[in-house]
Amino acid sequence: MCFNPSYCWILCCTLEPIFKHPEHKQPPPKTITQLYSSYIYNILKNHPRATESPREIMGRAGEMAYEGICNRTIVFDDDHFSHHHLEPSTFISGFMMEILEKDDGGRRVVYTFPHLTVQEFVAALARYLSPVRRDLHKLLHQVHKESDGRFEIFLRFVVGLSWPHTARQLEEILGPLHNASVCEAISWLKMNIEAAIKQSGSEGGKRKLLNMMYYLFESQNNTLAQVTLGAVGTLDFSGFTLNPLDCAVLSHVLQLCDNIETLNLYHCNIGAEGIQRLVPALHKYRELRFVLIDGFSQKPGEYQPVSEVCGSSGNILTYRQSVSLGENSQHNLAINDPQY
């Protein structure tokens, strides 16, 4: 996404005040939900638009945004606004753009969000603002069954907003998020993590478990991670390709779980960058019985062997190799060696 100009603009708008005013000691966002929360907050805070109820209007705009995701709509006209009891206003123009569009009758003004992810975030935020009590758990269950991926980021935003720290800034302007919706989002995530753990033996199950780890990372709910994955003794992603971002998410989750004894990453095609992402977790879990990491590229300069020692655990022979991952950084990794 960093190749997308709109996303880069959102990123810069959010990070600029953090870097320009270090004296405020505002921590940078850790998750994509925190990034977009800060983005919307900065719009509402620094470019105020006169409105009687920003919460109500944001909720209606979110309902329209959600309907757009369901129907694959990214351009909204007067009919969409009328259906959701919205009117074009300076408040709406803060997070939607006006576009002059040609039609048979001449020209008309339509509206769109600066980026699809903004639409998805506003749609997720509306789940916590609606004055009408709705079953969020049921809605999440329904959209999660869709296999085309259009609700993937929406789901991450919904679970991300369940963490109080993430929504704190927005609550200054929009008021508190519904606690019942927060509880339902956490309950849905817990249920799906537990289901993914049971199904993690197949390739599809491993993919589902990794997706749940992304949701867990987005939620920043350490307690939930410990309650669900903390009881797992073995994590097996063998044969499942993991990119550096996957490794970063996996590392975050592993650092929260104290009971995992076996981590199998055999034939995961983990490169040097992926290993670096995993290092904080591997450093913590020195008591792991074995760690199998195989299939990563061994290009010259990616890592430098320092020492080697073979060890065994039961009927498993592990080839341990100390590797250097950057300046003044050495970590022991267990790498499966085909010759044994």
Side-chain angles (χ1 to χ4, degrees):
M1 288 181 65
C2 289
F3 293 99
N4 186 294
S6 296
Y7 182 75
C8 291
W9 177 73
I10 292 170
L11 192 64
C12 292
C13 288
T14 304
L15 297 180
E16 181 184 18
I18 297 176
F19 294 139
K20 287 183 67 174
H21 303 285
E23 68 276 7
H24 295 167
K25 297 181 179 180
Q26 180 183 350
K30 293 181 179 180
T31 68
I32 188 174
T33 309
Q34 292 178 3
L35 174 70
Y36 279 81
S37 292
S38 297
Y39 169 71
I40 295 296
Y41 171 78
N42 288 335
I43 291 175
L44 300 179
K45 182 73 173 180
N46 300 321
H47 306 281
R49 272 80 174 177
T51 178
E52 294 181 358
S53 178
R55 181 187 182 95
E56 183 178 349
I57 295 178
M58 184 64 76
R60 292 176 184 175
E63 293 293 343
M64 183 176 70
Y66 175 74
E67 183 180 283
I69 297 173
C70 294
N71 299 324
R72 303 181 185 278
T73 301
I74 60 173
V75 177
F76 303 89
D77 56 21
D78 290 339
D79 290 338
H80 292 106
F81 273 67
S82 177
H83 178 71
H84 292 279
H85 306 288
L86 287 168
E87 294 182 0
S89 64
T90 54
F91 181 82
I92 292 290
S93 66
F95 49 89
M96 295 190 74
M97 302 186 303
E98 295 183 3
I99 300 176
L100 196 60
E101 183 180 75
K102 291 183 179 180
D103 61 11
D104 296 337
R107 295 175 181 268
R108 63 170 184 162
V109 175
V110 293
Y111 298 83
T112 187
F113 291 89
H115 192 266
L116 177 58
T117 49
V118 178
Q119 178 177 338
E120 291 165 324
F121 179 82
V122 174
L125 180 60
R127 302 303 103 196
Y128 294 93
L129 300 177
S130 175
V132 180
R133 179 74 178 88
R134 298 180 180 179
D135 191 339
L136 181 58
H137 194 286
K138 181 179 179 180
L139 182 143
L140 295 177
H141 177 70
Q142 290 174 342
V143 300
H144 186 247
K145 291 191 298 183
E146 298 292 335
S147 59
D148 54 14
R150 64 191 143 131
F151 292 103
E152 180 67 26
I153 302 300
F154 167 78
L155 284 168
R156 291 192 192 183
F157 282 144
V158 171
V159 297
L161 285 167
S162 68
W163 185 240
H165 175 76
T166 299
R168 190 166 298 149
Q169 284 185 317
L170 289 173
E171 288 182 325
E172 294 178 14
I173 300 173
L174 301 176
L177 306 190
H178 289 311
N179 186 63
S181 297
V182 171
C183 294
E184 288 174 350
I186 295 174
S187 174
W188 175 84
L189 181 56
K190 180 177 183 293
M191 181 186 72
N192 278 271
I193 293 173
E194 292 172 342
I197 292 172
K198 294 178 181 179
Q199 302 169 12
S200 60
S202 64
E203 181 176 354
K206 292 172 184 176
R207 179 176 289 104
K208 182 177 180 180
L209 179 58
L210 183 62
N211 286 341
M212 287 300 118
M213 287 184 174
Y214 270 92
Y215 293 152
L216 193 56
F217 174 79
E218 204 66 38
S219 75
Q220 292 290 291
N221 193 327
N222 296 351
T223 301
L224 182 59
Q226 293 163 358
V227 168
T228 52
L229 289 165
V232 176
T234 299
L235 274 182
D236 183 359
F237 283 99
S238 58
F240 187 83
T241 299
L242 298 173
N243 62 41
L245 184 56
D246 296 334
C247 292
V249 170
L250 180 59
S251 178
H252 170 80
V253 173
L254 286 174
Q255 291 178 73
L256 301 174
C257 304
D258 296 326
N259 295 330
I260 297 176
E261 296 181 347
T262 302
L263 174 63
N264 191 341
L265 301 179
Y266 179 63
H267 276 312
C268 290
N269 296 317
I270 299 175
E273 185 180 355
I275 292 177
Q276 288 178 326
R277 298 291 186 271
L278 285 167
V279 160
L282 300 182
H283 175 75
K284 176 181 178 181
Y285 288 95
R286 290 186 182 278
E287 296 181 0
L288 290 174
R289 287 204 306 266
F290 62 93
V291 181
L292 297 178
I293 301 179
D294 197 332
F296 60 85
S297 172
Q298 298 185 13
K299 297 178 182 178
E302 280 203 54
Y303 71 93
Q304 299 79 37
V306 179
S307 63
E308 302 173 359
V309 59
C310 288
S312 61
S313 175
N315 60 352
I316 299 173
L317 186 62
T318 302
Y319 178 74
R320 295 192 176 277
Q321 185 176 48
S322 179
V323 300
S324 175
L325 299 173
E327 295 182 4
N328 303 320
S329 176
Q330 293 184 5
H331 301 274
N332 290 324
L333 302 179
I335 304 173
N336 182 71
D337 193 323
Q339 67 177 308
Y340 290 101

